[in-house]
Amino acid sequence: MALPVETDPTHVQASSRRSEPKVGQLIRVSGTVQGVGFRPMVYRLAKALGLGGEVGNDGQGVLIRLWGAQTQIDQLMAALLEHLPPLARVTQIESQPLRWQPADSSQFRIVDSQLTPVNTSITADGATCGDCLAEVFDSQSRFFHYPFTTCTHCGPRLSIIVQLPYDRPHTAMAGFPLCAACRADYKNPEQRRFHAQPIACPVCGPQVWLEAASDGSAVVASATSEGISGVLAQLLDQLLAGEIVAIKGLGGVHLAADATNSAALRQLRQAKGRRHKPFAVMARDVAAIIPYCQVSPQEAALLTSPAAPIVLLTRNQTSPPGSHPALAADLAPGLARLGVMLPHTPLHHLIFHHLDRPLVMTSGNYQGRPQCIDNQAAREQLGSIARYFLLHNRGIVNRVEDSVVQVTAGRVEVLRRSRGYAPTPLALPAGFYSAPAVLALGSQLKATFCLIRAGQATLSPHLGDLDNSAIYQDYQQTLQRYLQVLQYQPQELAVDHHPDYLSTKLGQDWGDRQSLAVTRVQHHHAHIAACLADNGLPLLSAPVLGIALDGLGYGEAGQLWGGEFLLADYRHYRRLAYLKPIPLLGGSQAIRQPWRSTYAHLVTALGGWPRLKAAFADLPLVAFLDRQPRSLLDTLLTQGLHCPLSSSAGRLFDAVAAALGICQQEVSYEGQAAMELAAQVSPADLAAVGGTGYRFRVGRAVPGADPEAYPLVVDPTPLWWALLKDLQRQTPLGLMAARFHLGLAEAIAGLAVQLARQQHLTTVALSGGVWQNQLLLNQVRQQLQAAGLTVLSHSQVPANDGGLSLGQALVAAAQRLSPLVP
């Protein structure tokens, strides 16, 4: 291994080595340092520097004992961070003198792992590295066309681990004894497969086969008989014929179909119960994406990174060149962007080697159930959807779904943190190192949990919506597995303030049984705390103006919040302003049927149905609303039955979308109306409206009242009058959608600047799922920065409820730490 000049031992004269006395040194390295090639790296550095000693894994990370000249020890310390393997993440290096000398001071060795109390992390799965990929397509390599080729730089980690330390007997590979060739590589310190726990080859490793669902799971082709080429040839024949195939991958089973075949996609949507939600696709490489989508260098780097996430890309407005088949129209109905990922295992690379088009790759499940990870479960649950199954016999211990990211104004935003990212720990901001062991249980939707220990936060992968009983059961099982693997004993629990969230009930029951303190954290305070942590703000930072916009969160006194302006730090918050509360007609029905929010907004803004109908009777929107059960709705409004007030920004988006004829009757997935509304806005629309949007009005709910008791209210009444008049003028849809976004951005930014000046604040933090809207985020950020304010938004953790558990954990921890402790 070539070392940089400052650490290359050849630059140290031999005479100085001989004259310098030898000493012992103990080095402890913490972080993601097991199963990533860290020990082999240390071995090679120590050998090159002429140091004696040993390196090994234990429950705390990696422990290094060195014997040699202090100069060489210092050089190794400096080189540790310079030569990190691709999947390694170091959070701390501690060093101290050691009164110790090895039996043979001229030798350095890797020792067996020690089973000590666990305080290290689990490594995220990594996409196939370039070296392994080259071997897969090298006919002279013993890994030629082998779909499970891996090394210390790539491959399964979280998905196969049973317990720590990360050694082969503690993984799903325990049942595959190494052949002589793999054992030689495993024991050779000069090999990149040195101590690579998932190492395998066609002789000793897992195998893949294709079976037909209609023939009682009869094997159609297997790698052991027809060879992998024969298996994949039959697989491609079925995909190109329009069949749906279940493919077992790294962290779960995908349902695959030809992305250019409209009939196949219609069949997949009907069978999976996924009417409109967009499908992600997988393409051979970046070049294969360019005919269909715009790909920036930053987006290309994300696609080809070890995490290999799904990246949301803007679709091209023109048809692909003649040599490229057009994508099916209903891949992402109503949306201008497409989720795209690249192959991340050798199996996927082999599939695409002879394929000239993208494939749909969607989770192997039905109607929101957990993604299948077991062969038999896949057969039972997906047999009515897929005609064929491409399966293998390497077990998946931990389900890991695909991560989703986007790039907004040059900043990477993780929207779903899972494969490739989770559960890599996040370093906590300054002031939190001595925080108690807080376990936060997250939200009801996009559930995650978060464990705090030793200055780090371990955030679970995305687990889904707990409304589904199967997902709730999987959530609990995953939580218990993490506690066991990490040997984690919480000292305190943190939950959402909503009493009916299943995660809240679980935490409350747990606290009662174990006599643990349970901190209930207000939903939007947790959002802002997560944003602060995502940006590394220390515990003792000055308060910020937090703007939390989402669909729904439990507020104070049983109110439903969702459009909040908060004076906040990690410990406390105070509500300064909010969107005007509007009735949720029918409760949760208003979330599924956007027209209900439109009706509630309009009758509130225009002073009742008679006035609305008198002024705008000619509008198709008014005729549509008149056909609904208005007498029942008006009774609910008058009597306050089944129509709780909510300041939800998400429902405002729903109301505007439905008013413009978008998802008017119903939505089939969360955020659909808002996403389709944003997709209507083109750069030409933004230019045409000239930067002026629909106006909002800001005032106090009780004019002249004490601002401490009565925060400001953002009232959309002027918006509705202007929008209805635009409908009468038959203004193009894109212009009206642009005016809404620009007007909302102006209202938010204008109020934020006003509040920041009143409260002497310099920083604004933006959190909540609504901020995944790139147009709104960009407009607000630009206006706030122009006013001299610092703007914080999310990057490493989702702005949506997927990041909520991190915020809950930090609020609970901050409230336990002394305000005087730095």
Side-chain angles (χ1 to χ4, degrees):
M1 180 180 202
L3 301 176
V5 171
E6 63 270 23
T7 58
D8 191 332
T10 62
H11 289 262
V12 181
Q13 294 183 6
S15 59
S16 66
R17 289 192 191 180
R18 286 194 297 270
S19 62
E20 189 173 352
K22 294 187 176 182
V23 297
Q25 194 87 3
L26 180 68
I27 302 172
R28 156 75 62 198
V29 185
S30 303
T32 306
V33 289
Q34 294 189 11
V36 294
F38 195 88
R39 288 178 300 168
M41 177 202 71
V42 173
Y43 173 90
R44 289 190 286 270
L45 287 172
K47 294 288 286 183
L49 288 163
L51 292 167
E54 62 188 33
V55 59
N57 285 341
D58 64 10
Q60 309 298 301
V62 169
L63 193 64
I64 308 168
R65 292 182 177 90
L66 295 175
W67 175 258
Q70 189 64 52
T71 300
Q72 275 67 54
I73 292 175
D74 292 343
Q75 288 178 343
L76 184 139
M77 290 277 290
L80 286 179
L81 295 180
E82 296 172 10
H83 297 277
L84 279 182
L87 300 182
R89 300 291 184 273
V90 172
T91 57
Q92 188 174 23
I93 299 178
E94 300 172 286
S95 175
Q96 63 185 56
L98 179 67
R99 299 177 65 86
W100 171 85
Q101 180 176 347
D104 184 350
S105 60
S106 65
Q107 295 297 314
F108 192 89
R109 63 195 184 109
I110 294 181
V111 298
D112 292 338
S113 298
Q114 301 298 309
L115 290 174
T116 62
V118 172
N119 192 21
T120 189
S121 59
I122 305 171
T123 307
D125 298 298
T128 307
C129 70
D131 290 334
C132 283
L133 188 60
E135 291 172 323
V136 169
F137 291 105
D138 180 359
S139 60
Q140 302 305 308
S141 169
R142 67 188 187 91
F143 299 102
F144 180 58
H145 282 186
Y146 184 56
F148 305 98
T149 301
T150 185
C151 71
T152 55
H153 298 162
C154 67
R157 297 295 189 276
L158 168 64
S159 59
I160 63 170
I161 193 167
V162 176
Q163 71 177 70
L164 292 172
Y166 177 73
D167 289 318
R168 195 178 183 91
H170 302 154
T171 73
M173 296 299 294
F176 297 95
L178 294 174
C179 66
C182 284
R183 183 168 297 280
D185 284 351
Y186 184 87
K187 290 186 173 183
N188 182 357
E190 305 303 323
Q191 260 275 352
R192 75 176 194 284
R193 293 190 173 89
F194 183 50
H195 281 243
Q197 308 308 331
I199 183 177
C201 73
V203 175
C204 63
Q207 299 296 325
V208 64
W209 65 90
L210 183 70
E211 61 183 53
S214 59
D215 296 332
S217 300
V219 174
V220 175
S222 70
T224 54
S225 56
E226 288 86 351
I228 188 66
S229 297
V231 172
L232 296 181
Q234 294 201 45
L235 168 74
L236 295 180
D237 285 345
Q238 301 303 328
L239 286 169
L240 295 178
E243 299 290 357
I244 298 168
V245 179
I247 299 176
K248 185 179 180 183
L250 189 63
V253 176
H254 285 105
L255 289 167
D258 181 355
T260 70
N261 188 322
S262 296
L265 266 60
R266 283 195 299 271
Q267 180 185 348
L268 180 57
R269 286 198 178 279
Q270 181 177 5
K272 190 174 160 67
R274 187 179 177 124
R275 290 187 295 155
H276 307 107
K277 195 172 184 179
F279 284 131
V281 302
M282 181 180 285
R284 183 181 63 248
D285 51 29
V286 173
I289 301 171
I290 291 174
Y292 305 104
C293 298
Q294 301 171 27
V295 186
S296 71
Q298 191 174 13
E299 290 164 338
L302 283 167
L303 288 163
T304 56
S305 69
I310 295 172
V311 182
L312 297 184
L313 302 174
T314 300
R315 298 182 67 167
N316 295 331
Q317 297 300 308
T318 58
S319 299
S323 59
H324 299 276
L327 296 177
D330 57 350
L331 267 177
L335 302 179
R337 295 190 296 167
L338 185 63
V340 181
M341 59 179 160
L342 298 185
H344 49 267
T345 73
L347 179 60
H348 292 112
H349 281 286
L350 288 166
I351 290 172
F352 278 88
H353 188 56
H354 297 293
L355 194 61
D356 66 344
R357 64 197 63 195
L359 294 178
V360 165
M361 285 283 185
T362 187
S363 296
N365 56 5
Y366 179 76
Q367 285 190 335
R369 291 178 59 86
Q371 184 179 17
C372 291
I373 59 174
D374 174 75
N375 289 350
Q376 188 56 34
R379 295 182 186 109
E380 293 171 358
Q381 297 180 32
L382 306 179
S384 61
I385 303 175
R387 288 284 303 275
Y388 293 88
F389 291 80
L390 185 68
L391 302 176
H392 58 75
N393 58 342
R394 185 176 71 193
I396 298 174
V397 178
N398 299 293
R399 179 180 293 104
V400 189
E401 295 200 37
D402 300 313
S403 294
V404 182
V405 306
Q406 66 181 9
V407 177
T408 302
R411 183 177 172 89
V412 177
E413 298 173 353
V414 175
L415 308 183
R416 184 168 75 191
R417 189 173 185 268
S418 200
R419 176 180 54 75
Y421 295 105
T424 302
L426 302 168
L428 293 181
F432 282 99
Y433 189 82
S434 59
V438 177
L439 169 62
L441 298 180
S443 185
Q444 183 81 355
L445 303 179
K446 298 179 175 63
T448 61
F449 54 81
C450 180
L451 301 79
I452 282 185
R453 178 166 60 184
Q456 296 185 80
T458 298
L459 193 64
S460 76
H462 166 84
L463 296 170
D465 297 345
L466 303 188
D467 294 333
N468 184 290
S469 60
I471 288 182
Y472 180 51
Q473 181 180 7
D474 178 66
Y475 167 89
Q476 295 178 84
Q477 293 172 347
T478 303
L479 174 58
Q480 290 304 315
R481 190 178 304 119
Y482 269 66
L483 297 180
Q484 177 184 356
V485 170
L486 295 175
Q487 297 178 17
Y488 184 85
Q489 293 292 333
Q491 298 172 311
E492 181 177 339
L493 302 173
V495 299
D496 191 88
H497 198 60
H498 199 303
D500 294 331
Y501 279 4
L502 291 176
S503 55
T504 300
K505 293 179 178 179
L506 175 66
Q508 195 64 62
D509 291 345
W510 190 344
D512 292 342
R513 291 194 313 270
Q514 300 293 328
S515 298
L516 294 174
V518 179
T519 300
R520 291 196 173 200
V521 181
Q522 198 281 322
H523 191 91
H524 301 95
H525 186 202
H527 268 309
I528 299 305
C531 184
L532 299 183
D534 200 350
N535 289 273
L537 260 70
L539 171 62
L540 299 184
S541 296
V544 304
L545 176 64
I547 306 178
L549 305 181
D550 63 3
L552 193 77
Y554 205 74
E556 297 170 354
Q559 298 172 330
L560 299 178
W561 292 4
E564 311 306 314
F565 294 72
L566 307 177
L567 175 66
D569 57 20
Y570 286 109
R571 291 190 177 92
H572 311 290
Y573 77 93
R574 179 161 63 87
R575 197 184 196 194
L576 300 178
Y578 53 88
L579 289 178
K580 181 178 180 178
I582 298 296
L584 293 177
L585 281 172
S588 60
Q589 276 291 93
I591 299 174
R592 294 185 287 271
Q593 297 178 321
W595 65 264
R596 291 174 178 265
S597 291
T598 307
Y599 186 82
H601 267 278
L602 288 176
V603 297
T604 301
L606 276 70
W609 176 258
R611 190 177 180 192
L612 169 63
K613 189 170 183 179
F616 300 101
D618 58 322
L619 290 180
L621 169 62
V622 174
F624 169 82
L625 293 174
D626 206 13
R627 293 193 296 270
Q628 308 311 315
R630 283 194 313 96
S631 58
L632 173 61
L633 298 177
D634 291 340
T635 299
L636 294 179
L637 287 171
T638 302
Q639 299 182 5
L641 299 174
H642 304 295
C643 55
L645 292 175
S646 173
S647 57
S648 168
R651 302 293 77 78
L652 174 61
F653 274 83
D654 286 352
V656 172
L660 300 184
I662 299 168
C663 301
Q664 195 170 65
Q665 188 68 50
E666 63 178 348
V667 294
S668 64
Y669 63 90
E670 185 191 13
Q672 179 183 358
M675 291 166 64
E676 293 192 20
L677 176 64
Q680 297 297 324
V681 183
S682 69
D685 292 323
L686 291 175
V689 300
T692 302
Y694 295 133
R695 192 173 65 84
F696 288 69
R697 183 169 61 220
V698 177
R700 297 206 183 276
V702 179
D706 178 9
E708 294 284 336
Y710 292 94
L712 291 167
V713 178
V714 182
D715 185 353
T717 294
L719 147 76
W720 289 110
W721 282 98
L723 185 146
L724 292 173
K725 289 177 180 177
D726 267 357
L727 284 174
Q728 284 183 323
R729 289 190 286 263
Q730 298 183 352
T731 302
L733 179 58
L735 294 181
M736 290 187 287
R739 284 173 180 159
F740 166 68
H741 281 87
L742 293 178
L744 181 59
E746 291 166 357
I748 292 170
L751 178 55
V753 171
Q754 175 186 337
L755 292 172
R757 289 172 179 166
Q758 290 174 354
Q759 301 293 329
H760 307 291
L761 306 174
T762 61
T763 302
V764 180
L766 310 177
S767 190
V770 169
W771 291 112
Q772 293 175 175
N773 182 312
Q774 293 179 303
L775 174 56
L776 182 69
L777 177 60
N778 282 336
Q779 290 292 324
V780 171
R781 185 194 299 278
Q782 290 169 10
Q783 294 177 49
L784 293 179
Q785 289 176 338
L789 294 169
T790 298
V791 181
L792 307 180
S793 60
H794 283 271
S795 178
Q796 301 177 85
V797 298
N800 59 46
D801 282 6
L804 202 72
S805 61
L806 174 63
Q808 292 172 345
L810 294 186
V811 169
Q815 291 175 356
R816 291 293 179 268
L817 292 168
S818 168
L820 302 179
V821 175

